[in-house]
Amino acid sequence: MDPAGQLCYTDAYARRVDGRVVAVDESGDAPLVVLDRTVFYPGGGGQPSDRGLLLRAADGRSWTVRAARKAGGDIVHELEPGDGRGAAEDGPPARDDILTVDLDWARRFALMRTHTALHALCGVVWRDYGALVTGGNMEPGGGRMDFEFERMSGDLVDEIEAKVNTELAAHREVRVNLLPRDEAFAIPDLIRTKINLLPEGISEIRTIEIVGLDLQADGGTHVSNTSEVGGIRVTGYESKGRINKRIRLELVDPA
């Protein structure tokens, strides 16, 4: 798949696109389909992959995409086994079929808001406390981040929550950039994780910038302005070791 056909990395708001089937694999438990264009995010960096549908206008058939993933540079769509609604026969689409790729937008947008909220959390914790990220994960509407943070208390967590909400309410622009590797690594503190997870040999680095707050390497999908996140509520914190501390948050819908 041409990288230009992987629209999630350049336009997180693209919900539907028409694509041509370039490969079908039925050798495993679930059919796998590759198209020349897709809006699906394949997962990574703690963000789950998208879900949705593939629709064939020629005969009205549709297939449920239960997951997506990267394989050899392609974004592979994993279909629900036995699916093929709208026709008597089951089975995946065929090579060269033209399909409409339609992702579950409500789920994707919730993940975009959640991911940006976690970056705001990361930005506040790095700016004000100098703590590196040691892990993270998210689902639509909630997530957690682990930090190399020796001290943690309820008062401190309340302080962090208030600071994050202040930053989200500041209507900060969120920018996506693709930089040459050397230029990217010249940016101080671009890598906020304790371990650099970027593969060796990649020539370009994708960055996400919350203008005025946070800039780091990232491959996921985000909203374009922090005002779209709404607010966050810290739902818990816990110790995962002597200096490894976990903060859990959930989105609070915009008023």
Side-chain angles (χ1 to χ4, degrees):
M1 179 186 292
D2 186 331
Q6 301 179 6
L7 301 182
C8 62
Y9 298 114
T10 55
D11 182 5
Y13 290 84
R15 307 182 190 192
R16 292 166 66 100
V17 70
D18 289 340
R20 181 178 61 85
V21 177
V22 297
V24 180
D25 181 357
E26 298 183 71
S27 63
D29 294 336
L32 305 176
V33 175
V34 177
L35 300 105
D36 64 350
R37 301 185 78 206
T38 186
V39 291
F40 275 72
Y41 178 67
Q47 180 177 333
S49 72
D50 286 323
R51 300 172 186 166
L53 296 173
L54 301 180
L55 312 167
R56 189 166 66 193
D59 61 2
R61 290 184 69 183
S62 65
W63 295 265
T64 299
V65 181
R66 68 181 188 183
R69 62 178 181 269
K70 267 289 186 75
D74 293 328
I75 294 178
V76 178
H77 305 76
E78 181 180 316
L79 306 187
E80 197 69 50
D83 203 12
R85 292 172 291 173
E89 73 277 10
D90 290 333
R95 187 181 176 91
D96 291 326
D97 278 354
I98 302 300
L99 306 178
T100 297
V101 187
D102 185 13
L103 61 77
D104 179 342
W105 174 248
R107 182 175 183 275
R108 156 68 83 80
F109 189 57
L111 284 166
M112 289 163 59
R113 293 172 60 215
T114 304
H115 203 162
T116 302
L118 289 168
H119 274 235
L121 171 64
C122 181
V124 165
V125 170
W126 174 255
R127 180 194 67 193
D128 295 348
Y129 310 99
L132 289 169
V133 175
T134 56
N137 204 6
M138 74 192 82
E139 292 296 333
R144 56 91 173 167
M145 294 201 83
D146 299 345
F147 296 97
E148 193 177 60
F149 210 142
E150 190 163 2
R151 62 189 181 92
M152 187 68 69
S153 67
D155 288 344
L156 181 59
V157 167
D158 289 345
E159 179 180 290
I160 291 171
E161 177 186 277
K163 288 180 176 180
V164 172
N165 280 322
T166 296
E167 297 298 337
L168 293 174
H171 290 233
R172 295 190 180 278
E173 182 184 358
V174 182
R175 296 175 181 169
V176 179
N177 287 296
L178 195 63
L179 302 176
R181 185 182 182 91
D182 290 346
E183 182 180 339
F185 278 101
I187 299 171
D189 308 316
L190 180 73
I191 309 300
R192 296 289 176 77
T193 51
K194 179 68 173 177
I195 301 173
N196 183 354
L197 301 176
L198 293 176
E200 290 292 334
I202 57 175
S203 60
E204 294 181 313
I205 308 296
R206 185 174 183 267
T207 65
I208 300 295
E209 179 182 10
I210 302 177
V211 176
L213 175 65
D214 187 59
L215 172 61
Q216 57 181 295
D218 182 80
T221 61
H222 292 264
V223 294
S224 62
N225 192 286
T226 58
S227 62
E228 296 177 77
V229 175
I232 62 102
R233 178 186 300 113
V234 172
T235 58
Y237 66 95
E238 57 199 90
S239 177
K240 306 301 289 184
R242 185 176 64 83
I243 59 174
N244 196 39
K245 303 297 186 291
R246 176 168 295 175
I247 298 176
R248 300 183 184 273
L249 63 77
E250 65 180 14
L251 298 183
V252 177
D253 286 333

